[in-house]
Amino acid sequence: VVGLLAGDAAVKRARSTGLAMVTVCNNNHLGLLAGYVEQIARHGQIGVVLTTSEALVHPWNGAEAMIGTNPVAIGVPASPEPFILDMATGAISMGKLIAHRHRDLPLDSGWAVDAQGEPTCDPHRARAISPFGGPKGYGLALALELLVGAISGTALGRDVVGTLDTTWPCNKGDLVISIDPAAFGETEQLERVSDYLDAVRRSPARPGSGGVGIPGDGARRRRDAAMADGIEIADTVWQELRRLDEASAAA
Amino acid sequence: VVGLLAGDAAVKRARSTGLAMVTVCNNNHLGLLAGYVEQIARHGQIGVVLTTSEALVHPWNGAEAMIGTNPVAIGVPASPEPFILDMATGAISMGKLIAHRHRDLPLDSGWAVDAQGEPTCDPHRARAISPFGGPKGYGLALALELLVGAISGTALGRDVVGTLDTTWPCNKGDLVISIDPAAFGETEQLERVSDYLDAVRRSPARPGSGGVGIPGDGARRRRDAAMADGIEIADTVWQELRRLDEASAAA
């Protein structure tokens, strides 16, 4: 909820100044960032949202988690639908690592390292998630940790608590940036961006690859299908949701 | 030169507003971005610089270059030296690909694809550079292309010319962003950032890895060594520099 308010505040401010940044301190888990930048993009502005997490990712060559999974989301207005990128800088999420542990499934190579910093495919020996994209991904993850921490004044690295373990109040930060292209004299960006994205979608693909996609297209198709056909929920989760619903109705 | 002026303008503006973005249109090749963000960081501000290039990088699953090598540079004040990240979103630079062609050296896997979009290690068959970091790196490279193009109003994708082939005037854009942490109520970020970076440097490393580094440290060591010991220049380059020097002295 705080994230949506921050998005609204950034959009309003950018309308007058062209560029606005809102910092959120000590907020709880933001959830998926895609929704915030989509909200900004639907106002005709470009949105960038950054946040951090507890230290789960090791530095390049490192054996210990020192960096959050630090996702970045970028939304750009386009027709018929905005461009929405929402990606973490960890190779996988902590949720995925835990799921592999529960099911005794091997990890892909490059996803995690053991207590000595050696790459491991054993989910039970994994001690830290690897950054995506090797040393460059590490540099980016570290830079995003610094941007969020230094600007919002919130905790850095192993001092971040409460994003997974909610017994502690969460002390991480979030940055919500909104940019109004019109303020920079740019009025035809919607058409130019849409044309360019169409050219990328139509560009020649490797045979058998299924074609070139644009970030956000797949998630949008899955969401549309879920809105039309419903979603599958595990029985235990459904029972828990019913129980919470009844408890809140009784309160 | 335009880049340095843009950096100065952004720093001055951020001092009063907390946050400033300067767009540069139709500029020539910026050169290394590290110098611009270092300039901003030495003023106590956080710098982010983005630029694009001619389309050299293929989309994920794609066979044709549709995206620039789109580097991102991020500078954050720290003691004793600022944090400086300067990385392209292509797996390698065009210069490196050309050097491998000239020397008939094989490419590493993941660096490039051939005309059908299949990964290739043959520098002569390589038609497009791969994004670093797989599909996530592709998403980031595309998002940066959109940010620069949509905000500065400059060309996108295959419409960008003149960054390599200087027979055309260059029509790409650059973004220079400067953020003054003090404007966001943050006054102790220098100490916090420096302490965190030291903790990352000292964190346990994989045996035999040479330890955990921070982006910019290696480049700084090489620069300091070069300032102390001089640099090696190929004879032909040195002759050309002398010729240019004499020609400009005569003009």
Side-chain angles (χ1 to χ4, degrees), chain A residues 4 7-8 11-12 15 34-48 74-84 177-181 189-190 216-217 219-221 223-224:
Chain A
L4 290 172
D8 268 343
V11 164
K12 284 203 186 103
R15 209 165 274 153
Y36 304 103
V37 295
E38 185 167 346
Q39 172 201 14
I40 293 170
R42 292 201 183 282
H43 283 93
Q45 297 185 2
I46 294 168
V48 179
I74 298 175
V76 180
S79 176
E81 295 287 342
F83 169 91
I84 304 290
I177 300 158
S178 198
I179 302 154
D180 190 345
Q189 87 286 348
L190 185 72
D217 283 0
R220 195 173 292 121
R221 271 195 302 274
R223 181 177 67 185
D224 291 348

Side-chain angles (χ1 to χ4, degrees), chain A residues 221-242:
Chain A
R221 271 195 302 274
R222 287 190 296 276
R223 181 177 67 185
D224 291 348
M227 296 297 275
D229 306 331
I231 55 172
E232 275 188 38
I233 291 187
D235 276 348
T236 49
V237 175
W238 179 239
Q239 299 300 339
E240 180 66 11
L241 284 173
R242 298 243 349 216

Side-chain angles (χ1 to χ4, degrees), chain A:
Chain A
V1 176
V2 172
L4 290 172
L5 293 176
D8 268 343
V11 164
K12 284 203 186 103
R13 177 104 179 115
R15 209 165 274 153
S16 58
T17 62
L19 173 65
M21 179 156 63
V22 174
T23 65
V24 182
C25 302
N26 308 330
N27 184 21
N28 283 314
H29 201 304
L30 268 188
L32 285 176
L33 303 188
Y36 304 103
V37 295
E38 185 167 346
Q39 172 201 14
I40 293 170
R42 292 201 183 282
H43 283 93
Q45 297 185 2
I46 294 168
V48 179
V49 177
L50 305 178
T51 186
T52 55
S53 78
E54 287 172 49
L56 298 169
V57 173
H58 64 83
W60 200 243
N61 287 345
E64 196 168 296
M66 298 294 293
I67 313 168
T69 50
N70 301 356
V72 49
I74 298 175
V76 180
S79 176
E81 295 287 342
F83 169 91
I84 304 290
L85 175 76
D86 180 359
M87 55 172 261
T89 49
I92 54 168
S93 67
M94 195 62 193
K96 191 162 184 171
L97 175 54
I98 292 170
H100 276 66
R101 268 185 204 151
H102 283 169
R103 296 175 197 171
D104 271 327
L105 287 174
L107 307 175
D108 279 8
S109 92
W111 282 2
V113 299
D114 65 15
Q116 280 70 48
E118 299 289 347
T120 182
C121 295
D122 179 345
H124 305 287
R125 294 176 56 86
R127 284 296 168 274
I129 296 169
S130 296
F132 95 100
K136 288 190 181 195
Y138 156 55
L140 184 69
L142 186 59
L144 296 181
E145 180 100 17
L146 294 178
L147 284 185
V148 172
I151 297 170
S152 71
T154 48
L156 289 163
R158 299 180 70 86
D159 294 336
V160 178
V161 295
T163 62
L164 285 176
D165 175 358
T166 52
T167 53
W168 298 86
C170 185
N171 62 350
K172 69 157 178 62
D174 315 305
L175 291 188
V176 179
I177 300 158
S178 198
I179 302 154
D180 190 345
F184 291 83
E186 183 44 39
T187 53
E188 287 164 6
Q189 87 286 348
L190 185 72
E191 191 183 343
R192 291 168 50 259
V193 165
S194 308
D195 288 350
Y196 171 58
L197 290 176
D198 279 342
V200 173
R201 279 192 192 93
R202 288 194 317 266
S203 70
R206 179 168 48 83
S209 67
V212 173
I214 298 289
D217 283 0
R220 195 173 292 121
R221 271 195 302 274
R222 287 190 296 276
R223 181 177 67 185
D224 291 348
M227 296 297 275
D229 306 331
I231 55 172
E232 275 188 38
I233 291 187
D235 276 348
T236 49
V237 175
W238 179 239
Q239 299 300 339
E240 180 66 11
L241 284 173
R242 298 243 349 216
R243 198 188 58 73
L244 284 170
D245 184 45
E246 280 160 22
S248 81

Side-chain angles (χ1 to χ4, degrees), chain B residues 2 10 15 37-38 68 77-78 81 100 132-133 137 139 143 169 190 194 219 229 244:
Chain B
V2 171
R15 209 165 274 152
V37 295
E38 185 168 346
E81 294 288 342
H100 277 66
F132 94 101
L190 184 71
S194 307
D229 306 332
L244 285 169

Side-chain angles (χ1 to χ4, degrees), chain B residues 76-124:
Chain B
V76 180
S79 175
E81 294 288 342
F83 169 91
I84 304 290
L85 176 75
D86 180 359
M87 55 172 262
T89 50
I92 53 168
S93 67
M94 194 62 193
K96 191 162 184 172
L97 176 54
I98 291 170
H100 277 66
R101 267 185 204 150
H102 283 169
R103 295 174 197 172
D104 271 325
L105 287 174
L107 306 176
D108 279 7
S109 93
W111 281 2
V113 299
D114 65 16
Q116 280 70 49
E118 299 290 347
T120 182
C121 294
D122 179 345
H124 306 286

